């Protein structure tokens, strides 16, 4: 009788220990998953607009705003589909057109350009932490790192008077943290094969033939 009771007690202890370990493991997994937040359904973009002392924006506000409407229709359509409904819309806020201090050559470095433009927007009262993506919009200049648009997590450089919607969709993917589709890392470095771009898979807009 005592042996049977001892066996039952031992079984319960082992079961209880297993349950405790399982619960701790489940909580750990849950915390690990939740530590990587998913993007919110409604993404907020701040466009920091400006020109340089030696280079002005070449289009009117009315034309730029009309272009922005077209761009956002494409953003909404593309990411609603390819996020499987997780991202539903993008809202845009934009600054007045600043005149950035210094000449355009002072902004050739992407990081320097970002920090200087951020500072101007912050001084004007914008809280950059309120937005999911910061887009820098300014006259086209040749950057040290790229001849065109560029995107990294949370930030997009969009030079030129008439940015393309496809270009912004592509760079917004980088702003979400995505890399290029079809990237191959080989012994000679990173390769962006054109045939992958022609495949037009679900992340086709993240295809690229160049590292930009």
């Amino acid at each position: 009788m005592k042996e049977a009771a001892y066996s039952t007690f031992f079984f319960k202890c082992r079961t209880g220990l297993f349950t405790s370990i399982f619960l701790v493991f489940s909580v750990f997994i849950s915390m690990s998953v939740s530590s990587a937040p998913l993007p919110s359904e409604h993404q907020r973009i701040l466009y920091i607009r400006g020109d340089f002392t030696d280079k002005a924006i070449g289009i009117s506000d009315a034309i730029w705003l009309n272009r922005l409407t077209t761009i956002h229709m494409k953003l909404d359509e593309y990411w609603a589909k390819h996020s499987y409904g997780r991202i539903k819309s993008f809202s845009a806020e934009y600054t007045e057109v600043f005149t950035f201090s210094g000449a355009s050559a002072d902004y050739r470095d992407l990081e320097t350009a970002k920090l200087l433009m951020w500072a101007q927007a912050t001084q004007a009262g914008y809280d950059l932490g309120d937005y999911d993506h910061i887009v820098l919009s300014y006259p086209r200049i040749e950057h040290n790192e790229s001849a065109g648009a560029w995107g990294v997590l949370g930030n997009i450089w969009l030079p030129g008077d008439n940015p393309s919607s496809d270009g912004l969709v592509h760079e917004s993917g980088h702003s979400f943290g995505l890399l290029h589709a079809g990237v191959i890392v080989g012994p000679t470095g990173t390769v962006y094969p054109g045939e992958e771009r022609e495949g037009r898979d679900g992340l086709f807009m993240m295809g690229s033939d160049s590292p930009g």
Side-chain angles (χ1 to χ4, degrees):
M1 186 70 178
K2 286 182 180 179
E3 190 172 325
Y6 176 77
S7 298
T8 302
F9 174 76
F10 181 68
F11 174 77
K12 287 181 178 179
C13 285
R14 290 187 64 186
T15 304
L17 179 62
F18 175 78
T19 302
S20 299
I21 292 173
F22 176 76
L23 288 174
V24 170
F25 180 72
S26 299
V27 170
F28 175 76
I29 292 297
S30 176
M31 289 175 64
S32 298
V33 171
S34 63
S35 66
L38 292 170
S40 60
E41 290 183 347
H42 304 289
Q43 296 286 300
R44 298 189 65 194
I45 299 178
L46 175 66
Y47 289 84
I48 300 178
R49 300 183 64 208
D51 51 22
F52 308 106
T53 55
D54 61 339
K55 202 167 193 177
I57 290 178
I59 59 173
S60 68
D61 281 358
I63 294 175
W64 188 84
L65 289 172
N66 183 61
R67 185 66 187 147
L68 191 65
T69 300
T70 302
I71 285 174
H72 273 256
M73 288 175 61
K74 184 68 177 282
L75 275 176
D76 289 350
E77 176 187 0
Y78 186 84
W79 288 114
K81 176 181 179 180
H82 293 296
S83 69
Y84 298 95
R86 175 67 198 178
I87 299 169
K88 299 187 183 302
S89 66
F90 291 80
S91 62
E93 189 173 344
Y94 44 89
T95 69
E96 62 271 28
V97 178
F98 300 123
T99 297
F100 299 125
S101 60
S104 57
D106 299 331
Y107 292 77
R108 288 180 61 87
D109 178 72
L110 288 173
E111 188 66 15
T112 299
K114 181 188 78 173
L115 294 176
L116 291 172
M117 294 178 189
W118 277 10
Q120 191 113 8
T122 301
Q123 289 170 9
Y126 293 92
D127 185 348
L128 305 189
D130 289 342
Y131 304 92
D132 301 293
H133 313 272
I134 306 296
V135 178
L136 307 175
S137 177
Y138 50 94
R140 181 170 296 281
I141 60 175
E142 294 296 322
H143 287 294
N144 296 335
E145 300 87 343
S146 167
W150 195 264
V152 297
L153 190 62
N155 295 278
I156 297 170
W157 291 256
L158 200 65
D161 288 334
N162 193 23
S164 73
S165 55
D166 287 350
L168 186 58
V169 169
H170 176 93
E171 301 307 337
S172 68
H174 291 315
S175 188
F176 279 121
L178 297 176
L179 299 177
H180 287 140
V183 168
I184 296 175
V185 180
T188 59
T190 304
V191 180
Y192 303 87
E195 63 269 22
E196 292 293 335
R197 185 176 183 135
E198 294 304 319
R200 295 181 179 269
D201 62 1
L203 289 176
F204 167 64
M205 288 304 298
M206 296 313 297
S208 179
D209 299 321
S210 67

